[in-house]
Coordinates of all heavy atoms in Angstrom, one line a residue:
M1 N -17.9 -8.9 -33.0 CA -16.7 -8.0 -32.6 C -15.7 -8.9 -31.9 O -16.0 -9.7 -31.1 CB -17.2 -6.9 -31.7 CG -16.1 -6.1 -31.3 SD -16.3 -4.7 -30.0 CE -18.0 -4.5 -29.9
K2 N -14.5 -8.7 -32.3 CA -13.4 -9.4 -31.6 C -13.2 -8.9 -30.2 O -13.4 -7.7 -29.9 CB -12.1 -9.2 -32.4 CG -12.0 -9.9 -33.7 CD -10.7 -9.5 -34.3 CE -9.8 -10.7 -34.5 NZ -8.6 -10.3 -35.2
R3 N -12.8 -9.8 -29.4 CA -12.5 -9.4 -27.9 C -11.4 -8.4 -27.9 O -11.3 -7.6 -26.9 CB -12.2 -10.6 -27.1 CG -13.3 -11.6 -27.0 CD -14.5 -11.0 -26.3 NE -14.4 -10.8 -25.0 CZ -15.3 -10.5 -24.1 NH1 -16.6 -10.2 -24.6 NH2 -15.1 -10.3 -22.9
T4 N -10.5 -8.3 -28.8 CA -9.3 -7.4 -28.8 C -9.8 -6.0 -29.1 O -9.1 -5.0 -28.8 CB -8.3 -7.8 -29.9 OG1 -8.9 -7.9 -31.2 CG2 -7.6 -9.1 -29.5
N5 N -11.0 -5.8 -29.8 CA -11.5 -4.5 -30.1 C -12.4 -4.0 -28.9 O -12.8 -2.8 -29.0 CB -12.2 -4.5 -31.3 CG -11.3 -4.8 -32.5 OD1 -10.1 -4.6 -32.4 ND2 -11.9 -5.4 -33.6
D6 N -12.7 -4.8 -28.0 CA -13.6 -4.4 -26.9 C -12.9 -3.9 -25.8 O -12.1 -4.6 -25.2 CB -14.5 -5.7 -26.5 CG -15.6 -5.4 -25.5 OD1 -15.7 -4.1 -25.1 OD2 -16.1 -6.3 -24.9
I7 N -13.1 -2.7 -25.3 CA -12.3 -2.1 -24.3 C -12.6 -2.6 -22.9 O -11.9 -2.5 -22.0 CB -12.4 -0.5 -24.3 CG1 -13.9 -0.1 -24.1 CG2 -11.9 0.1 -25.5 CD1 -14.0 1.4 -23.9
N8 N -13.8 -3.2 -22.8 CA -14.3 -3.8 -21.5 C -14.0 -5.3 -21.4 O -14.4 -6.0 -20.5 CB -15.7 -3.6 -21.3 CG -16.0 -2.1 -21.1 OD1 -15.3 -1.3 -20.5 ND2 -17.1 -1.6 -21.7
A9 N -13.3 -5.9 -22.4 CA -13.1 -7.3 -22.4 C -12.3 -7.7 -21.2 O -12.5 -8.9 -20.6 CB -12.4 -7.7 -23.7
K10 N -11.3 -7.0 -20.8 CA -10.4 -7.4 -19.7 C -11.3 -7.5 -18.4 O -11.1 -8.4 -17.6 CB -9.4 -6.3 -19.5 CG -8.3 -6.7 -18.5 CD -7.4 -5.6 -18.1 CE -6.6 -5.1 -19.2 NZ -5.6 -4.2 -18.9
L11 N -12.2 -6.5 -18.2 CA -13.1 -6.5 -17.1 C -13.9 -7.8 -17.1 O -14.2 -8.5 -16.0 CB -13.8 -5.3 -16.9 CG -13.1 -4.0 -16.8 CD1 -14.0 -2.8 -16.8 CD2 -12.3 -4.0 -15.5
D12 N -14.5 -8.2 -18.3 CA -15.2 -9.3 -18.4 C -14.5 -10.7 -18.1 O -15.0 -11.5 -17.4 CB -15.9 -9.4 -19.9 CG -16.8 -8.4 -20.2 OD1 -17.4 -7.7 -19.3 OD2 -17.0 -8.1 -21.4
F13 N -13.3 -10.7 -18.5 CA -12.4 -11.9 -18.2 C -12.1 -12.0 -16.7 O -12.1 -13.0 -16.1 CB -11.1 -11.8 -19.0 CG -11.2 -12.1 -20.4 CD1 -10.7 -11.3 -21.4 CD2 -11.9 -13.3 -21.0 CE1 -10.8 -11.6 -22.7 CE2 -12.0 -13.5 -22.2 CZ -11.5 -12.7 -23.2
W14 N -11.8 -10.8 -16.1 CA -11.6 -10.8 -14.6 C -12.8 -11.2 -13.8 O -12.7 -11.9 -12.9 CB -11.1 -9.5 -14.2 CG -9.6 -9.2 -14.6 CD1 -8.7 -10.0 -15.1 CD2 -9.0 -7.9 -14.6 NE1 -7.5 -9.4 -15.4 CE2 -7.7 -8.1 -15.1 CE3 -9.4 -6.6 -14.3 CZ2 -6.8 -7.0 -15.1 CZ3 -8.6 -5.5 -14.4 CH2 -7.2 -5.8 -14.8
A15 N -14.0 -10.7 -14.3 CA -15.2 -11.0 -13.6 C -15.6 -12.4 -13.7 O -16.2 -13.0 -12.8 CB -16.3 -10.1 -14.0
A16 N -15.2 -13.1 -14.8 CA -15.7 -14.4 -15.1 C -14.9 -15.4 -14.2 O -15.4 -16.4 -13.8 CB -15.3 -14.8 -16.5
K17 N -13.6 -15.1 -13.8 CA -12.8 -16.0 -13.0 C -12.1 -15.1 -11.9 O -11.0 -14.8 -12.0 CB -11.7 -16.6 -13.8 CG -12.2 -17.6 -14.9 CD -11.1 -18.3 -15.6 CE -11.7 -19.3 -16.5 NZ -10.6 -20.0 -17.3
P18 N -12.9 -14.8 -10.9 CA -12.3 -14.0 -9.8 C -11.3 -14.8 -9.0 O -11.5 -16.0 -8.7 CB -13.5 -13.6 -9.0 CG -14.6 -14.6 -9.1 CD -14.3 -15.1 -10.6
R19 N -10.2 -14.1 -8.6 CA -9.2 -14.7 -7.8 C -8.9 -13.9 -6.5 O -8.8 -12.7 -6.6 CB -7.9 -14.8 -8.5 CG -7.7 -16.0 -9.4 CD -6.2 -16.1 -9.8 NE -5.8 -14.9 -10.5 CZ -4.6 -14.6 -10.9 NH1 -3.7 -15.5 -10.7 NH2 -4.3 -13.6 -11.5
V20 N -8.9 -14.5 -5.3 CA -8.5 -13.9 -4.2 C -7.0 -14.1 -3.9 O -6.6 -15.3 -3.8 CB -9.3 -14.3 -3.0 CG1 -8.9 -13.6 -1.7 CG2 -10.8 -14.1 -3.2
T21 N -6.3 -13.0 -3.8 CA -4.9 -13.3 -3.5 C -4.5 -12.7 -2.1 O -5.1 -11.7 -1.7 CB -3.9 -12.6 -4.6 OG1 -4.3 -11.2 -4.6 CG2 -4.2 -13.1 -6.0
T22 N -3.5 -13.2 -1.5 CA -3.0 -12.8 -0.2 C -2.0 -11.6 -0.5 O -1.1 -11.7 -1.4 CB -2.4 -13.8 0.6 OG1 -1.2 -14.3 -0.1 CG2 -3.4 -14.9 0.9
L23 N -2.1 -10.5 0.2 CA -1.2 -9.5 0.2 C -0.1 -9.6 1.2 O -0.3 -10.1 2.3 CB -1.9 -8.1 0.3 CG -3.0 -7.8 -0.7 CD1 -3.7 -6.5 -0.3 CD2 -2.4 -7.7 -2.0
P24 N 1.2 -9.2 0.9 CA 2.2 -9.3 1.9 C 1.9 -8.2 3.0 O 1.2 -7.3 2.8 CB 3.5 -8.9 1.1 CG 3.0 -8.2 -0.1 CD 1.6 -8.7 -0.4
R25 N 2.5 -8.6 4.2 CA 2.4 -7.8 5.3 C 3.7 -7.2 5.7 O 4.7 -7.8 5.7 CB 1.8 -8.5 6.6 CG 0.4 -9.0 6.3 CD 0.0 -9.8 7.5 NE -1.3 -10.3 7.3 CZ -2.5 -9.8 7.8 NH1 -2.3 -8.8 8.7 NH2 -3.6 -10.3 7.6
L26 N 3.8 -6.0 6.3 CA 5.0 -5.3 6.8 C 5.1 -5.7 8.2 O 4.2 -5.3 9.0 CB 4.9 -3.8 6.5 CG 6.1 -3.0 6.8 CD1 7.3 -3.4 5.9 CD2 5.8 -1.5 6.5
T27 N 6.1 -6.4 8.6 CA 6.2 -7.0 9.9 C 6.9 -6.0 10.9 O 6.6 -6.1 12.1 CB 6.9 -8.2 10.0 OG1 8.3 -8.0 9.4 CG2 6.2 -9.3 9.1
N28 N 7.8 -5.2 10.5 CA 8.6 -4.4 11.4 C 8.3 -2.9 11.4 O 9.2 -2.1 11.6 CB 10.1 -4.7 11.2 CG 10.6 -4.2 9.9 OD1 9.9 -4.2 9.0 ND2 11.8 -4.0 9.8
L29 N 7.2 -2.6 11.1 CA 6.7 -1.1 11.1 C 6.7 -0.6 12.5 O 6.0 -1.2 13.4 CB 5.4 -1.0 10.4 CG 4.9 0.5 10.2 CD1 5.9 1.3 9.2 CD2 3.5 0.5 9.7
P30 N 7.3 0.5 12.8 CA 7.3 1.0 14.2 C 5.9 1.4 14.5 O 5.1 1.8 13.7 CB 8.1 2.3 14.2 CG 9.0 2.1 13.0 CD 8.3 1.3 12.0
R31 N 5.5 1.1 15.8 CA 4.2 1.5 16.3 C 3.9 3.0 16.4 O 4.8 3.7 16.8 CB 3.9 0.9 17.6 CG 4.0 -0.7 17.8 CD 2.9 -1.4 17.2 NE 1.7 -1.1 17.9 CZ 0.5 -1.4 17.4 NH1 0.3 -2.1 16.3 NH2 -0.5 -1.1 18.1
F32 N 2.8 3.4 16.0 CA 2.4 4.8 16.2 C 0.9 4.9 16.2 O 0.2 4.1 15.6 CB 3.0 5.7 15.0 CG 2.5 5.3 13.6 CD1 1.3 5.8 13.1 CD2 3.2 4.4 12.9 CE1 0.9 5.5 11.9 CE2 2.8 4.1 11.6 CZ 1.7 4.5 11.1
G33 N 0.4 5.9 17.0 CA -1.0 6.0 17.2 C -1.5 7.2 16.3 O -0.9 7.7 15.4
H34 N -2.7 7.7 16.8 CA -3.3 8.8 16.1 C -2.6 10.0 16.4 O -2.1 10.4 17.5 CB -4.7 9.0 16.7 CG -5.6 10.0 16.0 ND1 -5.2 11.4 16.2 CD2 -6.6 10.0 15.3 CE1 -6.1 12.1 15.6 NE2 -7.0 11.3 15.0
K35 N -2.2 10.9 15.4 CA -1.5 12.1 15.5 C -2.2 13.2 14.8 O -2.8 13.0 13.8 CB -0.1 11.9 15.1 CG 0.7 10.8 15.8 CD 2.2 11.0 15.6 CE 3.0 10.0 16.3 NZ 2.8 9.9 17.6
K36 N -2.1 14.5 15.3 CA -2.5 15.6 14.6 C -1.3 16.5 14.4 O -0.5 16.6 15.3 CB -3.6 16.3 15.4 CG -4.9 15.6 15.4 CD -6.0 16.5 16.1 CE -7.3 15.8 16.1 NZ -8.4 16.6 16.6
F37 N -1.3 17.2 13.3 CA -0.2 18.1 13.0 C -0.6 19.5 12.7 O -1.7 19.6 12.1 CB 0.7 17.4 11.8 CG 1.2 16.1 12.0 CD1 0.4 15.0 11.4 CD2 2.3 15.9 12.8 CE1 1.0 13.7 11.7 CE2 2.8 14.6 13.0 CZ 2.1 13.5 12.5
N38 N 0.1 20.4 13.1 CA -0.3 21.8 12.9 C 0.3 22.4 11.6 O -0.2 23.4 11.1 CB 0.3 22.7 14.0 CG -0.4 22.4 15.3 OD1 -1.7 22.0 15.3 ND2 0.3 22.5 16.4
S39 N 1.2 21.7 10.9 CA 1.8 22.1 9.6 C 2.3 20.9 8.9 O 2.5 19.9 9.4 CB 2.9 23.2 9.9 OG 3.9 22.6 10.5
H40 N 2.5 21.2 7.6 CA 3.1 20.2 6.8 C 4.6 19.9 7.2 O 5.0 18.8 7.1 CB 3.1 20.5 5.3 CG 1.7 20.4 4.7 ND1 1.2 19.3 4.4 CD2 0.8 21.4 4.3 CE1 -0.1 19.4 3.9 NE2 -0.3 20.7 3.8
A41 N 5.3 21.0 7.7 CA 6.6 20.8 8.1 C 6.7 19.9 9.2 O 7.6 19.0 9.5 CB 7.2 22.2 8.5
E42 N 5.8 20.0 10.2 CA 5.7 19.1 11.3 C 5.5 17.6 11.0 O 6.1 16.7 11.5 CB 4.6 19.6 12.4 CG 4.6 18.9 13.7 CD 3.5 19.4 14.6 OE1 3.1 20.6 14.4 OE2 3.1 18.7 15.4
L43 N 4.5 17.4 10.0 CA 4.2 16.1 9.5 C 5.5 15.5 8.9 O 5.8 14.4 9.1 CB 3.1 16.2 8.5 CG 2.8 15.0 7.6 CD1 2.4 13.8 8.5 CD2 1.9 15.3 6.5
N44 N 6.1 16.3 8.1 CA 7.4 15.9 7.3 C 8.5 15.5 8.3 O 9.2 14.5 8.1 CB 7.8 16.9 6.3 CG 7.0 17.0 5.1 OD1 6.2 16.0 4.9 ND2 6.8 18.1 4.5
R45 N 8.6 16.2 9.4 CA 9.6 15.9 10.5 C 9.3 14.6 11.1 O 10.1 13.8 11.3 CB 9.7 17.0 11.5 CG 10.5 18.2 11.1 CD 10.8 19.2 12.2 NE 9.6 19.6 12.9 CZ 8.9 20.7 12.5 NH1 9.3 21.5 11.5 NH2 7.9 21.0 13.2
W46 N 8.0 14.3 11.4 CA 7.5 13.1 12.0 C 7.8 11.9 11.0 O 8.3 10.9 11.4 CB 6.1 13.2 12.3 CG 5.5 11.9 12.9 CD1 5.7 11.4 14.1 CD2 4.8 10.9 12.1 NE1 5.0 10.2 14.2 CE2 4.5 9.9 13.0 CE3 4.4 10.9 10.8 CZ2 3.8 8.7 12.6 CZ3 3.6 9.8 10.4 CH2 3.3 8.7 11.3
K47 N 7.5 12.1 9.7 CA 7.7 11.1 8.7 C 9.2 10.7 8.6 O 9.6 9.5 8.5 CB 7.2 11.5 7.4 CG 5.7 11.4 7.3 CD 5.1 11.5 5.8 CE 5.6 12.7 5.2 NZ 5.0 12.9 3.9
Q48 N 10.0 11.8 8.6 CA 11.5 11.5 8.5 C 12.0 10.8 9.7 O 12.8 9.9 9.6 CB 12.3 12.8 8.4 CG 12.1 13.5 7.1 CD 12.7 12.6 5.9 OE1 13.6 11.9 6.0 NE2 12.0 12.7 4.7
A49 N 11.5 11.0 11.0 CA 11.9 10.3 12.1 C 11.4 8.9 12.1 O 12.1 8.0 12.4 CB 11.4 11.0 13.3
L50 N 10.2 8.7 11.6 CA 9.6 7.3 11.4 C 10.5 6.5 10.5 O 10.8 5.3 10.6 CB 8.2 7.4 11.0 CG 7.4 6.1 10.9 CD1 7.2 5.5 12.4 CD2 6.1 6.2 10.2
L51 N 10.8 7.1 9.3 CA 11.7 6.4 8.3 C 13.0 6.1 8.8 O 13.6 5.0 8.6 CB 11.7 7.2 7.0 CG 10.4 7.3 6.2 CD1 10.6 8.3 5.1 CD2 10.0 6.0 5.7
A52 N 13.6 7.0 9.6 CA 14.9 6.7 10.2 C 14.8 5.6 11.2 O 15.7 4.8 11.3 CB 15.4 8.0 10.9
E53 N 13.8 5.5 11.9 CA 13.6 4.4 12.9 C 13.5 3.1 12.2 O 14.0 2.1 12.5 CB 12.4 4.6 13.8 CG 12.2 3.6 14.9 CD 11.0 3.9 15.8 OE1 10.5 5.0 15.8 OE2 10.6 2.9 16.5
L54 N 12.7 3.1 11.0 CA 12.5 1.9 10.2 C 13.8 1.5 9.7 O 14.2 0.3 9.6 CB 11.5 2.2 9.2 CG 11.2 1.0 8.2 CD1 10.5 -0.1 9.0 CD2 10.1 1.4 7.2
A55 N 14.7 2.4 9.1 CA 16.0 2.1 8.6 C 16.9 1.6 9.6 O 17.7 0.7 9.4 CB 16.5 3.4 7.9
A56 N 16.8 2.1 10.8 CA 17.7 1.7 11.9 C 17.4 0.2 12.3 O 18.4 -0.5 12.8 CB 17.5 2.6 13.1
H57 N 16.3 -0.3 12.0 CA 15.9 -1.7 12.3 C 16.0 -2.6 11.1 O 15.5 -3.7 11.1 CB 14.4 -1.8 12.9 CG 14.2 -1.2 14.2 ND1 13.9 0.0 14.5 CD2 14.6 -1.8 15.5 CE1 13.8 0.3 15.7 NE2 14.3 -0.8 16.4
G58 N 16.7 -2.2 10.1 CA 17.0 -3.0 9.0 C 16.1 -2.8 7.8 O 16.1 -3.7 6.9
G59 N 15.3 -1.8 7.7 CA 14.4 -1.6 6.6 C 13.1 -2.4 6.7 O 12.9 -3.1 7.6
A60 N 12.4 -2.3 5.7 CA 11.0 -3.0 5.6 C 11.2 -4.5 5.3 O 12.0 -4.8 4.6 CB 10.2 -2.4 4.4
Q61 N 10.5 -5.2 6.0 CA 10.6 -6.7 5.9 C 9.1 -7.1 5.6 O 8.2 -7.0 6.5 CB 11.1 -7.4 7.2 CG 12.5 -6.9 7.4 CD 13.0 -7.5 8.7 OE1 12.3 -8.1 9.4 NE2 14.3 -7.3 9.0
W62 N 8.9 -7.7 4.5 CA 7.6 -8.2 4.0 C 7.5 -9.7 4.1 O 8.4 -10.4 3.9 CB 7.3 -7.8 2.6 CG 7.3 -6.4 2.3 CD1 8.4 -5.6 2.0 CD2 6.2 -5.5 2.4 NE1 8.1 -4.2 1.9 CE2 6.7 -4.2 2.1 CE3 4.9 -5.6 2.7 CZ2 5.9 -3.1 2.1 CZ3 4.0 -4.5 2.8 CH2 4.6 -3.2 2.5
T63 N 6.3 -10.1 4.7 CA 6.0 -11.6 4.8 C 4.7 -11.8 4.2 O 3.9 -10.9 3.9 CB 6.0 -12.1 6.2 OG1 5.0 -11.4 6.9 CG2 7.4 -11.8 6.9
K64 N 4.4 -13.1 4.0 CA 3.0 -13.5 3.5 C 2.2 -14.0 4.6 O 2.6 -14.4 5.6 CB 3.2 -14.6 2.4 CG 3.6 -14.0 1.2 CD 3.5 -15.1 0.1 CE 3.8 -14.5 -1.3 NZ 3.4 -15.2 -2.4

């Protein structure tokens, strides 16, 4: 059977040569701790405030 007809061929190729890659990090995320919310509306207000603070500091900055 050709490898092009095998639906698991991609997994076999990936398993044969595993690669570890570094993921980028978000450096300027505002600090926040554990929070509990009583409603989705309260959660959404908190998220909007967090996003506004992130935008005020120049947006997301990713590094390696």
Side-chain angles (χ1 to χ4, degrees):
M1 173 183 348
K2 289 176 115 179
R3 297 300 286 187
T4 56
N5 296 335
D6 184 6
I7 61 172
N8 294 321
K10 186 187 305 185
L11 298 175
D12 292 340
F13 287 130
W14 286 345
K17 294 184 179 180
R19 271 192 306 172
V20 177
T21 59
T22 59
L23 297 175
R25 294 179 182 257
L26 186 59
T27 59
N28 63 337
L29 186 65
R31 299 285 299 170
F32 58 90
H34 182 293
K35 299 199 181 301
K36 288 187 178 182
F37 302 100
N38 293 324
S39 66
H40 287 288
E42 188 179 338
L43 169 67
N44 289 333
R45 283 192 302 273
W46 175 80
K47 285 194 300 187
Q48 287 299 327
L50 186 68
L51 290 173
E53 185 179 343
L54 183 62
H57 288 97
Q61 296 174 357
W62 297 92
T63 62
K64 284 193 173 193

